[in-house]
Amino acid sequence: MLGNFSYSNPTKLYFGDDSLSFLAEELKKYGNKIMLSYGGGSIKRNGIYDDVVKVLKDCGKEVFEDPGVMSNPTVDKLYEGCKIARENDVDLILAVGGGSTIDYAKAVSVSAWCDSDPWDKYYLKMEEPDNRIIPVGSILTMVGTGSEMNGGSVITNHEQKLKIGHVFGEEVMPKFSILNPKYTFTVPKYQMIAGIFDIMSHIMEQYFSGDDDNTSDYISEALMKSLINSSRVAVKNPEDYEARSNIMWTATWALNTLIACGKATDWEVHMIGQAIGAYTDATHGMTLSAVSLPYYRMIAPYGLHKFKRFATAVWDVCIEGKTDEEIVEEGLSAMESWMKELGLVLNAKELGVTYDMLDGIADATFIFDGGYKVLTKDEIISIIKQSMNY
Ligand code: NZQ
Ligand code: ZN
């Protein structure tokens, strides 16, 4: 572990099929006015809404409804949420949903009492909040982003064709998150596998950086192995509690800052994925699956030792009689087979990407230098073209 870092995570987690029973206790810590933020209606269809509202009513809370948080939440929805939060002076934002709803709740939490334009302040200028912050609690219903235990908040501005994430500090992270694996049983298969790949990508983005012998990498390998194993069970039987619970717990640890300790971290797949999302509004995890194979095949020669370790430690590739390059390709091929087995999108055209978008997508991609290679604009275009020809 080279380098210096501090580690702290203030989010309290309640995990398991009985975890909602802890909500009442948590609610006692906040005032009476609760803003209930949720998505397009899945929680009404599967009964989670009724169960949560019953707890809120039993606790004597006044509920301010805030439905309709869309996937890839928009800046317009953010303005709408700020109005509800500020006009009613809410004491807590309770986000019930996936990463989109929780990300959005964090954005409202820092924006409702902000007197300047929040998109400009937090997403374009990357400033930190200096106004009142409304606490957020979450009840997770869709697994993948890690938003339940991190400060990330990704907002899309369709007019400006930008999708940008701000990683806020501890004061914006959820105060508590309720993680009931059973709540994820009704997630459609497309979303479930997108979430699974999102988790894998979060781990790889942190793993594929640096050269030192680092405990974070050993933790990452264990998380990847657990995810691969449980994903194979869950695609066959989405109601396998053991598999869904492992996937849920892995998602949280994949992006709650733990495995970033002592790491430079890459995040280039996410940067390309977000730019694709800004142009197509595609499902986040699928934007990552579509570009990952061409990206990793392009950068592997620059981080050969790590890709070799990935092949052996994660995919059990046997090294005997093979060159490093052959071992690395076998590892990436094993990942490719797993991705096909799950049914992930590997061709960006399926997400609505067209050739006339490529220049704009490449311009909207932030270029980072934490991974094994700093990309050029032409290389970003080449990666997406390779995906489009898959
Ligand atoms: O809107 P509803 O009706 O709830 O339907 C949702 C949505 O259509 C549905 N769903 C959720 N739980 C369900 C369910 N359907 C049936 N049963 C349930 N129990 O699933 C769909 C997807 O939900 P969404 O919240 O959009 O997915 P996800 O969790 O993947 O979140 C994606 C957003 O998170 C951002 C992404 O960019 C994207 O905007 N990210 C946030 C990160 C963070 N906070 O650190 C990091 C990630 O890399 C990511 O960028
Ligand atoms: Zn992600």
Side-chain angles (χ1 to χ4, degrees):
M1 299 289 279
L2 303 181
N4 301 273
F5 58 85
S6 68
Y7 185 78
S8 158
N9 192 314
T11 303
K12 180 155 187 176
L13 299 178
Y14 296 96
F15 191 92
D17 59 0
D18 188 34
S19 48
L20 190 66
S21 64
F22 296 94
L23 178 60
E25 204 52 38
E26 278 297 328
L27 290 174
K28 283 185 192 156
K29 300 175 188 168
Y30 306 94
N32 236 24
K33 297 174 172 186
I34 313 290
M35 176 157 146
L36 182 63
S37 300
Y38 54 96
S42 69
I43 63 163
K44 290 207 167 161
R45 291 190 292 277
N46 57 24
I48 298 172
Y49 173 87
D50 290 340
D51 291 349
V52 171
V53 168
K54 184 174 182 315
V55 178
L56 290 166
K57 296 280 175 210
D58 288 351
C59 293
K61 300 291 181 184
E62 193 179 351
V63 178
F64 298 89
E65 291 263 344
D66 177 29
V69 182
M70 63 292 286
S71 283
N72 308 321
T74 63
V75 70
D76 293 329
K77 177 64 191 166
L78 168 61
Y79 296 145
E80 193 187 304
C82 288
K83 204 163 173 276
I84 300 171
R86 190 163 174 152
E87 280 179 5
N88 299 293
D89 193 5
V90 301
D91 300 303
L92 174 77
I93 304 171
L94 184 60
V96 187
S100 295
T101 303
I102 305 173
D103 277 21
Y104 157 85
K106 292 175 205 166
V108 173
S109 108
V110 294
S111 304
W113 295 99
C114 167
D115 289 325
S116 51
D117 175 48
W119 171 255
D120 185 57
K121 179 180 171 73
Y122 299 125
Y123 294 91
L124 293 179
K125 295 193 183 130
M126 285 291 162
E127 290 174 10
E128 295 310 319
D130 48 13
N131 46 261
R132 179 177 154 194
I133 296 171
I134 304 168
V136 170
S138 93
I139 298 175
L140 188 65
T141 67
M142 147 86 203
V143 164
T145 64
S147 190
E148 65 277 12
M149 203 184 187
N150 69 35
S153 171
V154 184
I155 297 293
T156 299
N157 187 322
H158 287 299
E159 210 175 291
Q160 296 179 11
K161 285 204 164 22
L162 287 172
K163 181 176 183 184
I164 300 177
H166 186 130
V167 181
F168 292 101
E170 284 182 31
E171 67 288 1
V172 185
M173 289 161 75
K175 301 289 176 224
F176 64 89
S177 286
I178 289 174
L179 275 56
N180 181 345
K182 280 194 177 157
Y183 286 173
T184 67
F185 284 180
T186 54
V187 172
K189 186 185 172 202
Y190 188 86
Q191 293 295 337
M192 177 184 80
I193 58 173
I196 288 169
F197 194 76
D198 193 20
I199 303 167
M200 187 71 178
S201 179
H202 294 158
I203 304 171
M204 290 192 294
E205 298 270 29
Q206 298 166 89
Y207 182 77
F208 287 120
S209 67
D211 297 312
D212 56 326
D213 185 40
N214 190 317
T215 299
S216 293
D217 289 335
Y218 296 90
I219 300 172
S220 292
E221 284 160 0
L223 290 173
M224 285 190 271
K225 290 187 94 155
S226 170
L227 178 68
I228 294 160
N229 188 44
S230 291
S231 68
R232 288 186 160 136
V233 178
V235 279
K236 289 203 190 88
N237 179 13
E239 300 207 359
D240 186 303
Y241 182 87
E242 203 172 33
R244 296 310 285 268
S245 62
N246 281 331
I247 295 170
M248 189 174 232
W249 193 232
T250 304
T252 303
W253 288 92
L255 196 53
N256 69 357
T257 72
L258 176 81
I259 60 167
C261 287
K263 303 285 304 180
T265 74
D266 183 357
W267 296 110
E268 204 52 51
V269 168
H270 269 69
M271 292 306 104
I272 303 173
Q274 279 180 202
I276 290 177
Y279 274 74
T280 61
D281 206 27
T283 296
H284 171 66
M286 296 306 190
T287 65
L288 310 174
S289 63
V291 298
S292 283
L293 289 167
Y295 174 72
Y296 286 120
R297 286 195 166 111
M298 180 182 282
I299 68 157
Y302 303 90
L304 208 62
H305 60 289
K306 195 53 164 293
F307 281 87
K308 188 178 164 190
R309 178 170 158 174
F310 177 67
T312 55
V314 179
W315 299 101
D316 299 323
V317 171
C318 157
I319 60 170
E320 242 167 84
K322 294 170 196 159
T323 65
D324 285 357
E325 286 76 9
E326 284 167 347
I327 295 163
V328 166
E329 179 45 40
E330 234 183 272
L332 290 172
S333 295
M335 181 165 90
E336 185 171 359
S337 302
W338 170 70
M339 291 169 78
K340 285 183 182 162
E341 197 183 318
L342 294 190
L344 289 158
V345 173
L346 299 175
N347 185 320
K349 278 188 197 160
E350 283 177 40
L351 303 175
V353 177
T354 52
Y355 286 101
D356 60 313
M357 290 178 185
L358 291 183
D359 204 56
I361 291 175
D363 281 336
T365 302
F366 293 94
I367 296 173
F368 289 156
D369 61 2
Y372 293 122
K373 183 177 193 323
V374 179
L375 295 186
T376 63
K377 183 178 170 182
D378 286 347
E379 284 168 338
I380 294 168
I381 291 174
S382 159
I383 287 163
I384 305 170
K385 273 190 182 160
Q386 284 177 58
S387 168
M388 291 171 84
N389 291 321
Y390 188 85

